[in-house]
Amino acid sequence: MTQKSVPVAKAIADRIERLILDGGLAPDEKIPSERQLSLRMGVSRSIVREALHELHGRGVIETHHGRGSFVAHIVPEPGLESPLMRLFTGHPRTLYDLLEVREQLEGQAALLAAQRANARDLHRITKAYDAMQAADPLTNAGLDHAFHLAIVEASHNPVLVHVLDSLKSLMLMSVQASVANLSPREAFKKQIDKHHRKIYQAIMKGQPLAAQRAASAHVRHVCDSLREIEQSEHHIIRTGIATT
């Protein structure tokens, strides 16, 4: 690395970092190849290589031999043995605590997505929505979660993206609980489908407040419905969290 190339490589590293901050690249997403970045940024591949090395040193990207470089999890996800995960597996009420957090954060994510989503984001959201709608409603927790994740990434708020990414396993658990308890009950399922459709349409039409209201109402409905079932039947399925 020459002295002259150092500031150039640092400038390229800063540009790639801004791309991640702007939401152009999400956690776990593969960084474009050295050749693609070289053409895109108008510098040599050696400069790009130095820039990627700089980002690796900052902890912004992770490089896997033979696979390439990927956006790192800037806010680490708690491990299975972490105190937070133990709280969730050991205390039934924490499912509702998580849904309270989801109501606020996903409402804000939907609002921002309706304001900021670009053509690429809208394509991803549409693809996720269509896949979720086409799947078996009793086994589509992963696709349901992917739909909400696509909206979060379209918010182009890196703090929100990485905070929710750090709660990914817990978020999926709450979606699994929703699907396991509500999808088999036709009235609840119809309401969930209606909420998903409202969220999707509001974002597609660029209606921030409508998107926020629909997303918040959706999570609030899930929370209230689970409480209702638990109170009447003294039991709900806490898939991946705990059983009572």
Side-chain angles (χ1 to χ4, degrees):
M1 184 185 298
T2 66
Q3 287 187 337
K4 183 178 180 180
S5 69
V6 172
V8 178
K10 185 179 183 304
I12 296 300
D14 289 343
R15 285 178 62 185
I16 298 172
E17 195 171 59
R18 280 197 299 274
L19 184 63
I20 294 171
L21 284 174
D22 289 340
L25 292 167
D28 273 339
E29 188 169 348
K30 188 174 182 180
I31 303 290
S33 68
E34 289 181 5
R35 179 177 177 277
Q36 290 171 320
L37 287 172
S38 174
L39 292 172
R40 182 173 179 174
M41 300 192 172
V43 296
S44 68
R45 291 180 66 173
S46 63
I47 293 292
V48 169
R49 197 172 300 119
E50 292 168 11
L52 293 176
H53 181 74
E54 166 82 12
L55 290 173
H56 187 273
R58 297 179 191 176
V60 174
I61 67 171
E62 298 173 348
T63 302
H64 303 282
H65 183 67
R67 293 177 53 211
S69 297
F70 298 79
V71 179
H73 293 266
I74 294 175
V75 182
E77 185 173 1
L80 292 176
E81 295 303 314
S82 73
L84 180 58
M85 291 297 286
R86 289 186 180 183
L87 282 174
F88 272 81
T89 56
H91 298 274
R93 61 155 285 182
T94 52
L95 169 61
Y96 301 110
D97 295 334
L98 178 58
L99 288 167
E100 287 178 2
V101 172
R102 279 188 57 191
E103 179 182 342
Q104 298 303 314
L105 295 185
E106 291 187 23
Q108 184 65 16
L111 180 147
L112 294 174
Q115 290 177 330
R116 301 174 178 176
N118 55 36
R120 180 174 179 244
D121 297 323
L122 295 177
H123 173 73
R124 282 182 169 181
I125 293 170
T126 297
K127 187 176 179 181
Y129 178 76
D130 289 343
M132 177 182 65
Q133 292 297 102
D136 180 347
L138 298 180
T139 58
N140 74 342
L143 295 173
D144 187 314
H145 178 63
F147 170 65
H148 292 287
L149 181 60
I151 293 170
V152 171
E153 292 176 355
S155 73
H156 292 274
N157 181 312
V159 175
L160 185 58
V161 170
H162 285 276
V163 165
L164 286 173
D165 177 71
S166 73
L167 297 173
K168 183 166 55 181
S169 292
L170 297 176
M171 302 284 275
L172 180 56
M173 288 177 184
S174 73
V175 175
Q176 288 171 336
S178 170
V179 168
N181 290 282
L182 305 183
S183 290
R185 295 169 165 87
E186 189 62 25
F188 290 119
K189 181 187 176 300
K190 283 184 177 179
Q191 189 61 43
I192 287 174
D193 288 344
K194 182 179 178 181
H195 284 148
H196 282 154
R197 184 168 60 252
K198 283 187 173 182
I199 296 167
Y200 173 70
Q201 291 175 344
I203 292 173
M204 290 298 115
K205 294 176 181 177
Q207 298 172 334
L209 292 180
Q212 182 183 40
R213 284 194 297 268
S216 296
H218 167 59
V219 180
R220 190 162 56 251
H221 167 73
V222 168
C223 186
D224 291 345
S225 299
L226 290 175
R227 287 186 189 277
E228 179 183 331
I229 293 170
E230 188 164 32
Q231 287 170 3
S232 63
E233 300 181 10
H234 307 291
H235 169 83
I236 60 170
I237 301 169
R238 288 178 167 83
T239 307
I241 298 178
T243 56
T244 60

